[in-house]
């Protein structure tokens, strides 16, 4: 039973960086960022490729994002995706997840999809909303925070993570959408020949007109949405920082631990 | 559209999740602005006892009971809520939890309604919903203004507001009948699974020294173990380390792992993602070591050390031993 799997990927700013507010106060400064594939999406891609290796079929890596995201799609192809699609949505901030999910759903609706995978959350925004939104627009069942997938004749059996380390076992009819949790597998590295090959593979570009709208604004919901302010978080209870070089810091912390009675003898 | 604020109750195996009462607290504040009331939608089967428990916090409970609601499924809840709320609320609130962010965005798509997820605060200003969120691993705060004639759907991050406590006068429980077509649900619940514990219980320790991705390789774990030993404590971890099998799952601190309240918690190379903080913020004394001065772990730590953990920890162990 070959599976057509569409895996949705997002390119995000490396979250280990320090960020600055843009001059207009409505976004972060984006001129000096480096971008990477969203962490959870790496696991979604790996799961898609493993399912294809087991059951046959095709993996399509899909993103909505600026041209720079092609790099991520090529990496996905080097790791086993058969085809890549980029919705040419150039808004670098993309704060309206309803709009983004709506356009992604429209693009998926036009191609075969037994299974749609996304990451459980994006590392930049952390809304965990895109997957269930896409499923809602496609009117297909979904499950979030998936840590294990079993494919059966007609459907899927999946394990969903709940709070406190508990899991919930559910089954879904196909087609279905799953948001994939960190740790479900160990993502592979791309072998060099595959990277070379992927650099020559085509990437399908989708424009709003291909999906029946004159602009991407046609995918917005019935509301207005505006960023009022981006700012460093108001420090609530910032830690008292221990100054000095490592030797000074170690001395100070050892002293502190002694004073608080954590050191015996 | 009505003016009410409806909070979707979360419960599992006969227990109400604490976030439910946080939603009521925030919902009450918002309802004061929308000119409506806050109500809790409690969906389940054989849960009238839970309805009474929620109502005792002084809030009206809309109670829907149905076989198809015996356990949470997105499809079952979506059908029930659509049937219950014939006049849509002004705002629908859910927790930003495994259940809440599974459900709320799907409702937004089905209701053609705006969604703001993972909010740390919400306010109403002249019919506009102001959502405060933290992004980029909590390194930036964003304020978003959304205006719509459709219901606003929002998920609130657990621990963001003080929950409502027991009230003098309980709210009423209003049973609502719902029709659910299980065939349209698309998802069937089978059961819960719990990890089997064959390890020390880090939640019972007075001192927890936790390692994060900042320790860089598994081979560096002995550095952290050395500090734990020197302090008579145990080694915990952030999720990536247990995902990579550097440590057993039982050592994971956080929302999807253990909640710990030791007297001393030392976070070594942990950025401080909300899911990690959920599991350790109530420790008596928190010390964090991180190379990044903007790491959000320094927001919850009492003392912070900006240093390479692989240099600092051995130096600290030496100091402790020489004392
Ligand atoms: C549904 C869900 C549930 C989750 N549940 C949990 C949970 O229960 N527990 C949990 O921990 N996570 C959980 N997570 C994951 C969480 O979002 C973060 O990804 C995770 O906590 C990050 O772990 P970390 O801080 O070790 O790694 P990172 O975020 O990568 O941080 C590493 C840190 O180390 C610092 N660093 C790097 N090198 C050094 C050095 N040499 N010395 C000192 N510092 C250094 C960096 O500056 C950085 O701040 C969950 C995620 C989801 C989506």
């Amino acid at each position: 039973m070959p599976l057509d799997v569409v895996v949705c990927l997002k390119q995000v700013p490396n979250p280990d960086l320090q960020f600055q507010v843009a001059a207009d106060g409505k976004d972060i400064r984006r001129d000096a960022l480096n971008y990477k594939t969203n962490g959870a999406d790496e696991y979604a891609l790996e799961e898609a490729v493993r399912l294809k290796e087991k059951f046959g079929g095709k993996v399509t890596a899909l993103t909505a994002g600026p041209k720079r995201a092609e790099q991520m799609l090529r990496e996905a192809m080097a790791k086993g995706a058969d085809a890549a699609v980029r919705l040419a949505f150039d808004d670098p901030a993309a704060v309206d997840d309803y709009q983004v999910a709506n356009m992604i759903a429209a693009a998926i609706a036009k191609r075969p999809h037994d299974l749609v995978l996304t990451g459980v959350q994006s590392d930049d925004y952390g809304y965990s909303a895109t997957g269930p939104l896409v499923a809602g627009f496609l009117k297909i069942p979904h499950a979030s925070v998936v840590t294990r997938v079993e494919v059966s004749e007609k459907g899927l059996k999946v394990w969903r993570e709940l709070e406190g380390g508990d899991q919930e076992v559910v089954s879904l009819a196909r087609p279905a959408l799953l948001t994939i949790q960190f740790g479900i597998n160990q993502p592979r590295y791309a072998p060099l020949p595959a990277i070379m090959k992927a650099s020559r593979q085509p990437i399908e570009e989708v424009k709003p007109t291909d999906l029946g709208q004159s602009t991407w604004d046609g995918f917005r919901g019935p509301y207005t949405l505006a960023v009022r302010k981006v700012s460093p978080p108001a420090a609530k209870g910032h830690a008292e920082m221990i100054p000095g070089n490592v030797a000074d810091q170690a001395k100070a912390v050892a002293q502190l631990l002694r004073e608080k009675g954590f050191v015996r003898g | 559209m009505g003016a009410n604020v409806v909070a979707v109750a979360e419960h599992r195996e006969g227990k109400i999740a604490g976030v439910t009462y946080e939603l009521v607290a925030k919902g009450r504040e918002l309802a004061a602005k929308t000119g409506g009331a806050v109500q809790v939608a409690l969906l389940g089967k054989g849960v009238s006892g839970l309805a009474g428990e929620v109502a005792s916090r002084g809030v009206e409970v809309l109670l829907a009971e149905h076989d198809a609601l015996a356990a949470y499924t997105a499809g079952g809840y979506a059908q029930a809520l659509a049937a219950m709320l014939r006049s849509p609320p002004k705002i629908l609130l859910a927790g930003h939890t495994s259940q809440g962010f599974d459900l709320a965005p799907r409702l937004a798509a089905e209701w053609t309604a705006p969604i703001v997820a993972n909010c740390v605060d919400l306010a109403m200003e002249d019919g506009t919903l102001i959502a405060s969120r933290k992004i980029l691993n909590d390194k930036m705060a964003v304020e978003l203004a959304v205006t719509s004639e459709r219901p606003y759907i929002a998920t609130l991050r657990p621990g963001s507001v003080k929950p409502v406590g027991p009230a003098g006068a309980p709210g009423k429980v209003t049973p609502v009948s719902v029709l659910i077509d299980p065939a349209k649900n698309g998802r069937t619940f089978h059961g819960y699974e719990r990890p089997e514990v064959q390890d020390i219980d880090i939640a019972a320790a007075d001192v927890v020294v936790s390692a994060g991705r900042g320790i860089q390789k598994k081979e560096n774990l002995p550095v952290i173990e050395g500090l734990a030993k020197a302090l008579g404590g145990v080694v915990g971890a952030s999720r990536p380390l247990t995902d990579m099998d550097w440590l057993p799952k039982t050592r994971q601190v956080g929302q999807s792992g253990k909640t710990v309240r030791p007297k001393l918690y030392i976070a070594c190379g942990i950025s401080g993602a909300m899911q990690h903080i959920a599991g350790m913020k109530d420790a008596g004394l928190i010390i964090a070591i991180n190379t990044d001065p903007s790491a959000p772990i320094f927001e919850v730590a009492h003392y912070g050390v900006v240093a390479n953990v692989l240099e600092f920890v051995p130096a600290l162990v030496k100091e402790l031993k020489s004392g």
Side-chain angles (χ1 to χ4, degrees), chain A residues 24-42:
Chain A
D24 70 354
K26 307 245 161 115
D27 193 12
I28 52 165
R29 274 186 61 181
R30 290 186 185 267
D31 43 335
L33 298 179
N34 66 59
Y35 285 86
K36 65 188 259 292
T37 305
N38 180 47
D41 301 358
E42 297 273 14

Side-chain angles (χ1 to χ4, degrees), chain B residues 24-45:
Chain B
V24 173
K26 184 48 68 181
R28 186 167 286 161
E29 216 179 282
L30 292 167
K33 286 284 169 68
T34 60
V38 60
Q39 299 168 310
V40 171
L42 180 71
L43 287 61
K45 172 78 191 163

